[in-house]
Amino acid sequence: GLCCLIVVSTQSTGHSTHQSLSSSLLNCEIKEDDIEAEEEARLMRAMSRQKPAANPTIRQHKPPPQATAPAPAPKPAPEPHWKEHERIRDAERNQRIAEENKKKEEARKAEQERLEQVRLEESSRLNTLQQREGVMHTFMSPPVYTLSEIYICGDFTDWKEVQIETSDVVPKNFQYPVTLPVTKGVHFYRFKVGDKWEVNKNNPTGVSPDGNVMNKIDISDC
């Protein structure tokens, strides 16, 4: 604090002495306030310059870095409408082709099975005919210059077609033989080459009871 010594003369009297005392006291109070404010400001500046001492016992733990999620893959651009129509059209065409190929394969297998069944039936029929009683006679087909299926049909086969076995080796006279038993008497027969009925012009011919020209054999004297 600040001590102010005020000496008042005992000799001073009246109003002037009172005014001088009041002015001195006011000046002392103002000076004390200024000194306190300046002291407080100085302390604040000193405190602001001081840095807090680091505490070595306290460790600051940093949080671990978070894994960043991968960026989403970009969406493909939408397919143009004409490409979508083309893809649908190609898929439908491929399906039709697959169905057609399947039908062809089924038809081919069915035809193979039919031919195999026919071959078995023809073989069975030939074996049955060859078991009959009669004179074994070898019949010669008409000349066949292209590989075809050849059948013989006559009254001794009950007018059923009997296939003549052929081979890749073509005979010199282009005629294929078949041996069947024939009973005594006159018999008529003919050949089927491919889809056409023919007679062997090298053998005797005649008119059958139904009016058709056919090959004729007479074994009455055998």
Side-chain angles (χ1 to χ4, degrees), residues 137 139-140 186-191 199-207 213-218:
H137 183 79
F139 299 89
M140 300 300 296
V186 178
H187 301 278
F188 292 91
Y189 63 97
R190 59 181 176 176
F191 298 91
V199 295
N200 188 348
K201 296 179 181 180
N202 298 325
N203 294 333
T205 59
V207 179
V213 177
M214 297 185 179
N215 286 117
K216 176 182 177 182
I217 181 173
D218 185 359

Side-chain angles (χ1 to χ4, degrees), residues 32-102:
E32 287 181 355
D33 292 339
D34 293 341
I35 292 172
E36 289 178 359
E38 183 179 355
E39 183 68 18
E40 185 177 355
R42 185 180 65 79
L43 290 174
M44 292 296 294
R45 288 194 298 272
M47 291 176 63
S48 63
R49 287 195 297 270
Q50 292 180 356
K51 296 182 179 180
N55 191 350
T57 59
I58 299 176
R59 295 183 180 180
Q60 296 181 356
H61 296 281
K62 295 182 180 180
Q66 297 181 354
T68 57
K75 295 182 178 180
E79 194 176 45
H81 293 294
W82 65 270
K83 281 192 174 182
E84 177 67 15
H85 296 326
E86 189 177 52
R87 185 182 63 81
I88 295 174
R89 184 188 62 192
D90 293 342
E92 292 176 349
R93 184 180 66 238
N94 293 336
Q95 184 176 1
R96 287 196 302 270
I97 292 174
E99 291 176 354
E100 291 175 358
N101 292 336
K102 182 179 179 181

